[in-house]
Amino acid sequence: MARICLNHHNADLYGKAFPHHYVRRNASHISSMSVRMDTNRDKIIAGIIALVLIVLAFSSSQAAGQKDGLLKIYFLNVGQGDAIFIEAPNGNQVLVDGGPDSAVIAELARVMPFYDRSIDAVVVSHPHSDHIAGLIDVLKHYDVGYVIQAGEQYDSLEFRSWQEAVAQEHTIEIDTVAGKQINLGPEMTFTIIHPLKSVLGTATDKPHDDNVVAMLQYKHVKVLLAGDMEAAVERILVNNNIDIDADVLKVGHHGSKTSTALPFLDAVTPQAAIIQVGVKNRYKHPAELILSRLENFGATLYRTDTDGMIRLISDGTSYYLNKQ
Amino acid sequence: MHKSQVLSYFLIAFLVGTLIGSFWHFGEQYFWIFIGLGTLFFGVSAYHRTFGQTVAGIKRRKVGFVIGFCIILATGGIYRFQQFDADHSRVTQFNDREAGGKGISVRVVGYVAGDVRERGLQSQFPFEVKEIIALKRTFSAGERVLVTADNRAGYRYGDILTIEGAPQAPKNSESFDYATYLKKQGIRSIFSSPDILAEGSISLGLWERSSVVVYRALQGLKSRFESALIGTIAEPEAAYIQGVLLGSRSAIPERLQDAFATTGTSHILAISGYNITIVAEAVLGVLLFWFRRRRAIWIATAAIILFTLLTGASASVVRAAVMGLLVLFASGYGRLYDAKNGIILAGALMVFFNPFILVFDIGFQLSFLAVIGLLYLYPIFQRWAQRAPSLTGLKEIALMTLSAQVMVILLLVGYFHSFSLVSLVVNILILPIVPAVMLFGFIAGISGMIWIPLGKIIGVVAWALARYQLWIVEHAASFSFASVSISLPWIIIVLAYVLLIGGIWWFYRHHGS
């Protein structure tokens, strides 16, 4: 009874000298009120639990629907910069570059399930800000298992911030050199094909020359990730007879005319080409010359500035590209 | 005239003075005229033979006293605004000065005085200038500027820096009045990409020095909390929870911010008096199961203060907390008379400390009006809807939303020229969940600071609740009729408010409180 009286909001006005007749007269009213409040509380708690369960059931069924044993590559729309998210059939995740700012976080949220707070590996093609700046935010939001980069020293504030952010995270750093292969699952490999010699610890002021180029292969489907590689690097790859034949090409340097030379295209023979580029960027990327060159080659063209996010799905024998 | 009524007239006089000062500039001679006028009223009323010795005469003399004092206080309001304005325009004098096509460089010494926002490759922070070195002379100052630095060097509140660059006045874009937005924070100059030298030495007074130390600790706590939150909850829900809990919008994608604006729910993303009232009521509701009402109110007060400290105790949050506490006490002790004076006193004090907020801070105006709505309109609506079933508190929330909305809607139309048709429905659908999101978001962040996996588990609950709210907002915003645009001239809006407040006053006069 005492507890019930305390619940009544006028109770304290009467304090301990609570007149007995008052208690008797109001007892039924007070206790019914207390019961009502208890059931109200239970209703509210039940309502919140129900809401949480409904949302979770709905979103996890959506997330489960995406676990279909296929390779998925998302070319994220991060404006003027590169960011490519790879999800292997067994669920391993790799992010190649992170774009110029935190836009990558919103894009990743679109393609990753809500409970997934980790990315297995982050690959840095080269230390320019339009490739690494967004990665600083990625490190803040996600647990990153491995950071894979060429390891050269580049003098810029952005790169210093990035290096500091990497040092603060508990990640394992791996340097890149041609031939290094990362197994992403059964019959799924991520192979570094450039730089040919390790540049670990060397200083550079032209990061494009040390650009990390990688070939992603799932059974028979091959995707070449060119980063910002320019014609000089393309020539090295072609002249050294390195196998760069691929089905899909992530076009080098946002479609700039300094990349994607004819001999290189002859060696790659892509069926589809993807350009990651910002709307009305100040570099006027992509160059008309490169667009018509790719078209003449018969490659289907996709661009993040007009198409938005682009997704590739593959079962290892065929692949399918679409806008998201 | 009742004593407390006289006090409210004095406070209103001060506010009116500040309002006048915000629009017109007065020279020194005017102040003498105003003070002379006030003294005249005093002098006439002080003489005991004025108006005779009858009861009516004495009453008239009292009125004369009050009018005289009101005029002097209003003059004080004008003076306060102009003095504040002048104090905060030392650096401004160097804005956009050019020599040979380049901005003239000024060197300033001071400290980082607020949230450091890191976006892309830049960090941006308010900076309290204590010394200006220009033209080979050193001037002392106490003025806030905005610094946009080309790096993310991890500046923290209280870092003493020397900055050299050309200050600029903020430029308005077509859709956004940036200058006014900054002015209410006392900022009227921007240093973009200046040279920043980490070291600098200034001597601060004891009060300023200790407040810097305290704020620095609070900001450190806040940023640890934020990084725990974004590490445990997926985006954009984490950004939304940050907005609800800490009032920081910057991480919320623009598309989503637009959706909130279209559905008339942006107020959730800023910590307002309204927002804090909801939290306080929720905390109170839970506490009432175990405590007496008065004790519960004190615990809720402690909770609000703790919350304010944890969110970094920025000026706008402190303002909101004061408003929230006022509503809490008014509803707890149910004395409307004190509430009216309390709210005017709080408003007057806030305006005294920063006169810019009266005219330039939309958030202050909205908060103030919403609180008036909760205190005065809500009881009226409740009386009208006495018969309606409570539906587990849904009615109360609907009425609270309605009473706040009715008060702010015209002001919103005045500023944003649009009116949300879905606002009421969306607010009723999502507001009841806001306290739950805040609670679980808060626990998730705190436990994430201690042990990440625990934070992730609780974070899933917070995420699901936030997901539901964002889903509602996104879908409601996608209706073509969600928002209609209308423009009303300011004179109509002011008149409408006079009528509205007059109507409320009339209602209480005739129906009692």
Side-chain angles (χ1 to χ4, degrees):
Chain A
M1 187 64 233
R3 207 183 73 86
I4 293 168
C5 286
L6 290 184
N7 280 336
H8 190 256
H9 71 277
N10 278 330
D12 55 340
L13 293 178
Y14 298 90
K16 290 199 173 73
F18 217 103
H20 285 288
H21 65 272
Y22 182 86
V23 174
R24 238 176 288 124
R25 189 149 36 89
N26 290 280
S28 62
H29 159 68
I30 293 170
S31 59
S32 75
M33 180 161 168
S34 163
V35 168
R36 210 198 74 207
M37 283 173 88
D38 273 343
T39 50
N40 258 2
R41 179 177 58 169
D42 291 348
K43 268 190 203 162
I44 292 169
I45 292 172
I48 286 176
I49 292 172
L51 184 67
V52 169
L53 289 179
I54 291 168
V55 174
L56 289 183
F58 190 70
S59 350
S60 36
S61 78
Q62 256 185 341
Q66 289 180 347
K67 296 254 171 287
D68 44 16
L70 297 173
L71 161 70
K72 295 189 196 70
I73 305 176
Y74 300 92
F75 297 87
L76 307 178
N77 179 17
V78 290
Q80 179 67 12
D82 275 10
I84 301 146
F85 182 69
I86 302 159
E87 192 172 315
N90 67 354
N92 281 340
Q93 296 163 329
V94 178
L95 178 67
V96 182
D97 290 343
D101 54 35
S102 57
V104 65
I105 299 299
E107 287 285 282
L108 281 176
R110 287 177 60 195
V111 300
M112 288 173 72
F114 67 92
Y115 50 79
D116 191 353
R117 308 301 305 145
S118 63
I119 294 173
D120 298 292
V122 161
V123 181
V124 179
S125 69
H126 67 287
H128 274 153
S129 73
D130 55 335
H131 295 250
I132 59 161
L135 289 179
I136 301 174
D137 292 296
V138 169
L139 283 190
K140 279 190 187 174
H141 283 80
Y142 295 94
D143 286 338
V144 173
Y146 298 90
V147 169
I148 299 165
Q149 55 183 346
E152 76 262 66
Q153 291 305 313
Y154 177 57
D155 187 31
S156 80
L157 281 167
E158 300 85 83
F159 190 60
R160 231 174 293 150
S161 307
W162 159 245
Q163 294 288 59
E164 277 165 24
V166 173
Q168 274 175 19
E169 287 283 315
H170 303 288
T171 59
I172 300 166
E173 286 187 71
I174 299 176
D175 61 302
T176 53
V177 67
K180 228 172 225 186
Q181 200 168 65
I182 296 148
N183 252 323
L184 291 179
E187 294 181 84
M188 164 108 204
T189 52
F190 184 90
T191 313
I192 309 290
I193 52 180
H194 189 267
L196 295 181
K197 278 187 230 145
S198 173
V199 292
L200 183 67
T202 61
T204 179
D205 53 356
K206 282 183 182 161
H208 287 174
D209 293 346
D210 298 334
N211 186 84
V212 174
V213 181
M215 180 71 83
L216 190 75
Q217 182 163 10
Y218 178 40
K219 293 178 189 165
H220 304 292
V221 174
K222 292 164 87 178
V223 179
L224 183 63
L225 302 173
D228 271 7
M229 131 165 95
E230 292 186 12
V233 174
E234 293 174 351
R235 222 170 11 246
I236 292 172
L237 295 180
V238 173
N239 290 348
N240 281 290
N241 282 327
I242 293 167
D243 180 18
I244 48 174
D245 180 46
D247 302 293
V248 179
L249 169 68
K250 199 299 295 184
V251 177
H253 202 195
H254 322 288
S256 150
K257 59 177 187 275
T258 55
S259 306
T260 326
L262 271 173
F264 171 73
L265 270 185
D266 276 330
V268 180
T269 62
Q271 294 170 331
I274 289 146
I275 300 176
Q276 290 201 290
V277 68
V279 180
K280 286 187 187 156
N281 64 79
R282 62 184 157 130
Y283 310 101
K284 304 225 166 97
H285 291 161
E288 281 302 326
L289 174 72
I290 302 302
L291 292 180
S292 56
R293 187 177 290 172
L294 285 164
E295 222 160 277
N296 291 340
F297 230 88
T300 322
L301 210 63
Y302 293 88
R303 327 171 22 170
T304 52
D305 59 342
T306 52
D307 300 329
M309 186 198 289
I310 296 150
R311 182 179 67 167
L312 179 148
I313 328 180
S314 171
D315 60 357
T317 46
S318 61
Y319 65 91
Y320 172 68
L321 271 162
N322 69 341
K323 305 176 200 174
Q324 283 292 288
Chain B
M1 255 184 292
H2 197 277
K3 267 185 207 153
S4 66
Q5 218 169 345
V6 173
L7 177 68
S8 69
Y9 291 143
F10 288 167
L11 294 172
I12 290 170
F14 174 77
L15 287 173
V16 170
T18 312
L19 189 71
I20 294 169
S22 314
F23 287 109
W24 296 285
H25 187 88
F26 293 92
E28 203 185 338
Q29 69 275 25
Y30 288 98
F31 287 101
W32 293 119
I33 293 172
F34 295 147
I35 290 172
L37 193 67
T39 319
L40 188 72
F41 270 94
F42 262 150
V44 170
S45 316
Y47 186 53
H48 68 278
R49 292 222 189 126
T50 318
F51 306 128
Q53 291 287 14
T54 58
V55 176
I58 290 170
K59 199 175 173 189
R60 271 191 209 163
R61 276 175 54 205
K62 276 190 185 163
V63 172
F65 260 125
V66 171
I67 292 175
F69 212 74
C70 281
I71 291 173
I72 288 175
L73 275 169
T75 316
I78 299 173
Y79 179 75
R80 172 69 189 149
F81 184 90
Q82 290 186 186
Q83 172 226 5
F84 191 83
D85 199 39
D87 271 359
H88 289 75
S89 52
R90 299 247 159 83
V91 176
T92 320
Q93 295 167 3
F94 296 96
N95 278 359
D96 303 318
R97 291 279 187 85
E98 288 194 353
K102 274 171 67 181
I104 291 184
S105 248
V106 183
R107 181 183 278 238
V108 295
V109 190
Y111 61 88
V112 178
D115 273 346
V116 179
R117 275 193 206 162
E118 294 190 336
R119 215 161 188 200
L121 288 170
Q122 294 190 318
S123 26
Q124 194 178 54
F125 51 87
F127 186 74
E128 182 81 16
V129 174
K130 301 305 289 182
E131 263 173 23
I132 306 169
I133 302 156
L135 316 168
K136 291 178 186 142
R137 283 177 58 195
T138 304
F139 309 86
S140 73
E143 183 180 351
R144 215 154 266 209
V145 299
L146 190 69
V147 175
T148 305
D150 280 337
N151 63 54
R152 290 168 57 142
Y155 296 110
R156 287 174 51 211
Y157 190 102
D159 284 348
I160 293 173
L161 304 172
T162 303
I163 286 175
E164 193 167 330
Q168 296 164 321
K171 312 251 178 320
N172 288 338
S173 73
E174 266 173 43
S175 57
F176 186 54
D177 190 354
Y178 194 44
T180 302
Y181 169 77
L182 288 180
K183 191 172 179 180
K184 74 167 192 230
Q185 304 166 30
I187 293 172
R188 282 187 290 179
S189 307
I190 298 177
F191 284 88
S192 352
S193 320
D195 292 331
I196 299 182
L197 311 166
E199 65 274 11
S201 69
I202 35 168
S203 54
L204 302 173
L206 180 66
W207 167 249
E208 202 168 4
R209 200 167 52 223
S210 40
S211 77
V212 164
V213 170
V214 172
Y215 263 94
R216 197 181 163 107
L218 289 175
Q219 293 286 339
L221 202 62
K222 179 185 171 184
S223 67
R224 277 185 54 204
F225 179 78
E226 276 179 325
S227 61
L229 209 58
I230 60 174
T232 49
I233 299 172
E235 293 291 345
E237 287 75 17
Y240 167 69
I241 292 171
Q242 271 185 65
V244 173
L245 266 182
L246 308 168
S248 52
R249 274 184 206 205
S250 53
I252 301 172
E254 215 156 287
R255 193 177 43 82
L256 201 57
Q257 289 196 37
D258 290 345
F260 274 98
T262 314
T263 53
T265 45
S266 300
H267 60 88
I268 295 176
L269 303 180
I271 294 182
S272 61
Y274 180 34
N275 211 333
I276 286 202
T277 305
I278 290 173
V279 184
E281 291 288 332
V283 171
L284 202 60
V286 173
L287 289 173
L288 279 178
F289 290 118
W290 292 286
F291 297 100
R292 295 171 183 220
R293 190 164 185 89
R294 291 212 172 169
R295 191 170 292 168
I297 285 176
W298 286 109
I299 298 173
T301 305
I304 288 179
I305 292 171
L306 188 72
F307 175 77
T308 310
L309 291 178
L310 269 177
T311 56
S314 67
S316 61
V317 178
V318 172
R319 278 203 289 275
V322 170
M323 303 269 197
L325 287 175
L326 276 172
V327 178
L328 187 68
F329 276 90
S331 68
Y333 288 87
R335 280 188 305 196
L336 217 49
Y337 221 67
D338 293 347
K340 187 186 79 184
N341 268 354
I343 194 171
I344 296 174
L345 180 64
L349 279 177
M350 289 169 194
V351 169
F352 179 79
F353 286 120
N354 182 358
F356 288 159
I357 63 171
L358 186 63
V359 172
F360 302 110
D361 189 347
I362 301 172
F364 170 77
Q365 296 158 6
L366 291 178
S367 242
F368 206 77
L369 285 173
V371 165
I372 291 178
L374 289 175
L375 284 180
Y376 294 99
L377 272 182
Y378 177 56
I380 297 178
F381 289 156
Q382 225 176 8
R383 177 186 290 221
W384 287 343
Q386 230 162 23
R387 295 261 175 78
S390 168
L391 299 174
T392 322
L394 219 58
K395 180 181 89 173
E396 282 73 21
I397 285 166
L399 290 181
M400 276 175 120
T401 308
L402 188 68
S403 43
Q405 287 279 318
V406 167
M407 283 310 284
V408 299
I409 199 82
L410 280 166
L411 198 66
L412 288 175
V413 169
Y415 279 119
F416 304 112
H417 310 294
S418 71
F419 174 74
S420 177
L421 291 176
V422 291
S423 162
L424 192 64
V425 178
V426 174
N427 271 298
I428 290 171
L429 282 175
I430 68 173
L431 273 186
I433 310 296
V434 168
V437 157
M438 293 180 82
L439 183 69
F440 284 102
F442 188 68
I443 300 175
I446 297 280
S447 38
M449 283 162 78
I450 300 163
W451 192 46
I452 294 269
L454 182 66
K456 283 182 185 168
I457 294 166
I458 299 165
V460 167
V461 179
W463 176 86
L465 294 170
R467 179 72 266 178
Y468 159 77
Q469 295 180 314
L470 295 189
W471 188 85
I472 298 272
V473 167
E474 279 165 354
H475 280 259
S478 65
F479 292 131
S480 56
F481 59 82
S483 161
V484 289
S485 37
I486 33 170
S487 292
L488 288 176
W490 277 107
I491 184 77
I492 302 271
I493 291 168
V494 171
L495 274 177
Y497 273 112
V498 170
L499 280 178
L500 188 60
I501 290 169
I504 295 173
W505 180 78
W506 181 87
F507 186 92
Y508 278 101
R509 183 122 206 187
H510 287 262
H511 298 273
S513 46

